[in-house]
Amino acid sequence: MSKDSKMRATINQKLTEMGERERLKELLRSKLTECGWRDQLKAHCKDVIKEKGLEHVTVEDLVVEITPKGRVLVPDSVKKELLQRIRAFLAQHAT
Amino acid sequence: MSPAGCAHVNAYKVDNWRQNLRVIYQCFVWSGSAETRRRKVLQNDVRWTALAKSCICHMCGAHLNRLHSCLSCVFFGCFTKKHIHEHAKNKRHNLAIDLLYGGIYCFVCQDYIYDKEMEQIAKEEQRKAWKLQGVGEKYSTWEPTKRELELLRHNPKRRKITTNCTIGLRGLINLGNTCFMNCIVQALTHTPLLRDFFLSDRHKCEMQSNSCLVCEMSQLFQEFYSGHRWPHIPFRLLHLVWTHARHLAGYEQQDAHEFLIAALDVLHRHCKGDTTRDDNGKKANNPNHCSCIIDQIFTGGLQSDVTCQVCHGVSTTIDPFWDISLDLPGSSTPFWPLSPGGDGSTVNGESHLSGATTLTDCLRRFTRPEHLGSSAKIKCGGCHSYQESTKQLTMKKLPIVACFHLKRFEHSAKLRRKITTYVSFPLELDMTPFIASSKESRMNGQYQQTVEVLNNDNKYSLFNSPRSLSVCCGGVGILCLTLHGLCLCVSCGGADIICLTVCVLWWSRYSLFNCLCVVVEQVFSV
């Protein structure tokens, strides 16, 4: 495992252990709902389903279609805020 | 994808599959922290402990990449990197579960499948986990029952709500100085929780006669959402109100606030059929814990603390309330002057433009400690004698919809005087400084900085949905303002709804459930 992914795994472990991961998830969830991201993607999902046909569409189709769009549509402010939270948490719990 | 699942699931459904599945949900999907996971694992099966120390892919060690767990053995693999697919092929284990969302994937069908029994287990485990985490019930989307599906099939006509449609808006004819009633009705019909309750047909009437106000309210909602554009004549509603609230009968112009309280009271009394039943099927008859929709939405708890000045003993009472009556400056009782910028007056982002009074000022005055004076001594339970005391009001329980009543009518010895002081109110109101626990922590010496409140529990938004803001103004020419879509609609307590365009009005589309209903009695100039 590269150094980068090792660090990722360590950070993730720390976040999970202290319950911070769940809190961040909740924060992210509410922020994304507030700014309309969720509804935008939901609408996009509906379009994809209409295109592919309800009987033939698979979850994989949706994942492939939605993931890139979803990543792009996250507002910068939300990214900043989450990053700040994680930084603050790590600073607080640095070993 | 049919809810009967795929054929391959049947091969899994042998032996103790239900329990095994529950363990997987409890330990790996809905468990939350690693600590609870460890605990759950130990609780359930020692075999899992060694292999399931942490949720990472057994092939590459990553925790991202849509980790899945094999249902037939203890194996975690990435979905994106196809590690779980390899495992499925090698071991012929056809089913895997997505650890993020709990979906079941079948490698033969190559898609997620929906098996009714498994879904049921998943839902139960999720609810249990939420309860453990202290989250309680979370919002889950509506799933129609068999009966509802039947009804939908038999009634194929659908009404689509576009952004510009006027469904939900309707004018009300003035039946002779009934503008006060029309305003309140407009405000109530634009309260989303109330609207949802009535439109989803939740009222089960237990009154024998036709005089149930809740039924009439239900009818009213049907009228409002019928799509008819001509004004509605609420004569039945008026008649019922007169029947049940005699003091409002007659053609005199009444107080909108009085009407609101009377209406809520009658609705609350007539909601008896909808109160929840306990496990024995008996109705909860406790008047202090009514669970009718009116109480659920509008009832808050006002805490009154009387502190004896001698022994400092505090006697506390909590009373339910539907509205908060606020004094205004300009009345004969002295108002507590507040200098702008002092002690966190930037709470709620209000600026004191030329000394204008804000709603927060009024609230601050309402919750200030009041010295009761030597002429109003209270018998202290600690000192066993009459002592001077201070009294303070705080919010113990915040209602979902908060109604503020600005006391514009001053009753002095001579006459009724109307106070015309302008009061500004914010788009978002944070009630945190006024709740009981805030006051307690202030008393304990913890000075609360205006910290950015991360949880929104005490915040109220004036916009309770993308389409409605309810402000009722009473007085000469009672107006009710509702924000519908992009238009500010003014209903002059009457038949016409005039639509003005609004350029700069921000609203929170996805705001919280809390909403603010302000009943002010001032002539609102638009």
Side-chain angles (χ1 to χ4, degrees):
Chain A
M1 255 201 295
S2 73
K3 186 171 170 206
D4 207 23
S5 48
K6 237 187 185 156
M7 179 157 68
R8 270 218 183 123
T10 327
I11 295 179
N12 179 60
Q13 179 112 6
K14 197 77 197 213
L15 288 173
T16 321
E17 272 175 20
M18 315 240 18
E20 183 71 6
R21 190 153 196 264
E22 283 306 308
R23 282 192 282 269
L24 287 171
K25 254 176 55 179
E26 267 316 303
L27 178 66
L28 183 61
R29 196 170 281 146
S30 61
K31 289 279 163 182
L32 289 176
T33 313
E34 254 178 43
C35 68
W37 178 91
R38 190 167 189 267
D39 287 337
Q40 274 178 303
L41 287 185
K42 200 168 176 187
H44 191 56
C45 275
K46 286 189 183 159
D47 292 335
V48 173
I49 295 173
K50 272 200 199 118
E51 219 185 278
K52 300 257 159 109
L54 186 58
E55 290 304 315
H56 305 291
V57 72
T58 64
V59 176
E60 209 48 41
D61 290 335
L62 289 173
V63 172
V64 161
E65 285 280 340
I66 303 291
T67 310
K69 191 154 192 211
R71 283 192 208 270
V72 160
L73 285 176
V74 178
D76 282 334
S77 55
V78 176
K79 288 188 192 167
K80 256 195 192 152
E81 191 170 345
L82 261 285
L83 199 58
Q84 246 178 350
R85 273 289 289 263
I86 298 176
R87 278 215 181 99
F89 171 82
L90 291 175
Q92 217 183 352
H93 295 96
T95 44
Chain B
M1 286 294 125
S2 82
C6 66
H8 316 106
V9 164
N10 296 326
Y12 174 76
K13 287 185 177 177
V14 292
D15 299 329
N16 203 10
W17 71 272
R18 276 195 184 84
Q19 190 49 35
N20 289 341
L21 191 61
R22 277 190 197 277
V23 170
I24 296 182
Y25 275 112
Q26 282 171 18
C27 300
F28 305 116
V29 187
W30 309 127
S31 62
S33 68
E35 183 50 52
T36 39
R37 189 178 298 140
R38 247 174 268 145
R39 255 185 281 133
K40 282 274 168 205
V41 160
L42 287 169
Q43 257 181 334
N44 280 287
D45 198 322
V46 193
R47 279 179 294 166
W48 295 87
T49 327
L51 294 162
K53 278 245 176 79
S54 50
C55 276
I56 51 171
C57 175
H58 285 196
M59 286 183 65
C60 68
H63 64 273
L64 299 165
N65 300 328
R66 288 170 68 195
L67 203 60
H68 279 61
S69 162
C70 174
L71 277 188
S72 314
C73 69
V74 184
F75 179 89
F76 297 129
C78 308
F79 193 93
T80 332
K81 302 264 169 77
K82 304 280 189 208
H83 296 153
I84 190 84
H85 294 70
E86 273 188 58
H87 169 86
K89 209 163 64 164
N90 298 339
K91 296 277 175 106
R92 303 250 181 100
H93 291 168
N94 293 330
L95 298 173
I97 184 170
D98 176 355
L99 292 185
L100 205 53
Y101 297 109
I104 312 268
Y105 190 87
C106 172
F107 289 96
V108 185
C109 299
Q110 290 197 9
D111 195 7
Y112 287 90
I113 52 116
Y114 306 100
D115 182 85
K116 232 188 184 145
E117 292 178 299
M118 291 171 145
E119 295 268 302
Q120 183 65 22
I121 292 176
K123 267 207 192 79
E124 283 168 13
E125 291 305 320
Q126 187 170 44
R127 282 217 170 91
K128 274 195 230 164
W130 282 338
K131 238 184 171 173
L132 277 177
Q133 288 165 21
V135 175
E137 281 294 323
K138 271 203 200 169
Y139 172 76
S140 55
T141 48
W142 171 61
E143 267 169 50
T145 59
K146 259 202 185 132
R147 170 94 183 106
E148 282 164 352
L149 283 171
E150 230 181 274
L151 282 171
L152 284 169
R153 269 192 284 266
H154 283 148
N155 298 289
K157 183 175 174 195
R158 300 280 179 268
R159 195 170 270 154
K160 185 164 184 194
I161 312 259
T162 58
T163 25
N164 288 334
C165 79
T166 53
I167 276 195
L169 277 186
R170 199 127 179 235
L172 291 169
I173 295 274
N174 189 326
L175 294 165
N177 275 332
T178 60
C179 37
F180 67 96
M181 176 179 89
N182 288 354
C183 260
I184 298 295
V185 168
Q186 291 282 8
L188 288 176
T189 47
H190 283 85
T191 307
L193 286 176
L194 213 52
R195 173 202 67 197
D196 293 346
F197 174 82
F198 281 107
L199 287 182
S200 55
D201 226 3
R202 295 286 194 90
H203 173 58
K204 308 271 183 295
C205 196
E206 289 201 356
M207 285 185 75
Q208 306 295 51
S209 59
N210 272 347
S211 62
C212 174
L213 190 63
V214 191
C215 286
E216 186 52 38
M217 202 70 196
S218 194
Q219 254 315 103
L220 193 76
F221 272 95
Q222 291 299 319
E223 289 287 342
F224 264 71
Y225 282 84
S226 59
H228 297 319
R229 296 179 77 104
W230 58 89
H232 174 63
I233 310 173
F235 65 93
R236 251 203 320 259
L237 183 72
L238 182 65
H239 176 73
L240 277 179
V241 168
W242 282 358
T243 317
H244 293 290
R246 287 278 151 75
H247 61 285
L248 290 175
Y251 282 105
E252 301 265 312
Q253 196 194 196
Q254 303 282 0
D255 190 301
H257 166 250
E258 244 188 278
F259 177 79
L260 173 68
I261 298 301
L264 290 180
D265 184 47
V266 179
L267 287 170
H268 155 73
R269 278 188 279 136
H270 290 188
C271 267
K272 286 225 189 73
D274 308 321
T275 51
T276 51
R277 294 163 191 268
D278 66 18
D279 293 322
N280 295 332
K282 282 172 75 183
K283 274 195 247 191
N285 250 327
N286 189 343
N288 288 336
H289 293 286
C290 179
S291 54
C292 70
I293 188 70
I294 300 295
D295 277 320
Q296 280 181 49
I297 299 177
F298 293 99
T299 303
L302 189 64
Q303 179 168 322
S304 165
D305 295 309
V306 177
T307 313
C308 170
Q309 289 303 91
V310 174
C311 68
H312 297 288
V314 185
S315 118
T316 307
T317 46
I318 300 176
D319 291 307
F321 69 86
W322 274 331
D323 69 326
I324 302 168
S325 293
L326 300 170
D327 288 320
L328 293 179
S331 59
S332 51
T333 43
F335 199 73
W336 188 30
L338 295 157
S339 51
D343 80 327
S345 68
T346 47
V347 130
N348 295 322
E350 296 158 340
S351 56
H352 282 250
L353 313 147
S354 58
T357 320
T358 67
L359 186 63
T360 319
D361 287 337
C362 296
L363 276 169
R364 241 181 258 139
R365 179 175 193 274
F366 185 74
T367 52
R368 81 199 186 295
E370 189 186 343
H371 194 84
L372 288 178
S374 48
S375 52
K377 286 189 183 169
I378 307 267
K379 179 144 192 218
C380 171
C383 307
H384 298 293
S385 59
Y386 284 89
Q387 300 293 353
E388 283 191 25
S389 49
T390 51
K391 173 172 144 174
Q392 186 172 22
L393 295 170
T394 45
M395 309 287 156
K396 179 68 182 173
K397 172 181 174 250
L398 291 172
I400 296 182
V401 172
C403 301
F404 294 104
H405 169 225
L406 302 181
K407 299 203 297 208
R408 287 201 175 278
F409 285 106
E410 194 194 5
H411 301 261
S412 66
K414 297 180 203 163
L415 33 71
R416 229 162 74 119
R417 183 171 77 98
K418 186 157 184 181
I419 305 167
T420 52
T421 319
Y422 177 82
V423 177
S424 75
F425 46 90
L427 291 181
E428 256 198 20
L429 178 67
D430 188 359
M431 292 284 281
T432 314
F434 309 114
I435 62 177
S437 49
S438 296
K439 175 206 142 211
E440 276 153 20
S441 51
R442 272 203 297 276
M443 276 174 66
N444 292 336
Q446 293 161 272
Y447 177 61
Q448 268 187 338
Q449 305 271 16
T450 358
V451 166
E452 192 214 305
V453 182
L454 277 173
N455 81 323
N456 289 321
D457 285 348
N458 301 325
K459 283 207 182 134
Y460 285 81
S461 161
L462 198 52
F463 297 90
N464 42 31
S465 78
R467 20 180 73 217
S468 55
L469 142 72
S470 285
V471 175
C472 291
C473 315
V476 178
I478 299 181
L479 302 174
C480 175
L481 283 161
T482 51
L483 185 69
H484 189 90
L486 269 173
C487 295
L488 187 67
C489 304
V490 179
S491 153
C492 301
D496 304 311
I497 299 189
I498 311 156
C499 291
L500 315 168
T501 46
V502 170
C503 322
V504 190
L505 258 191
W506 167 93
W507 69 84
S508 163
R509 273 203 87 187
Y510 307 92
S511 68
L512 327 152
F513 260 34
N514 295 341
C515 50
L516 176 69
C517 163
V518 180
V519 180
V520 318
E521 299 206 48
Q522 69 184 23
V523 176
F524 199 99
S525 51
V526 174

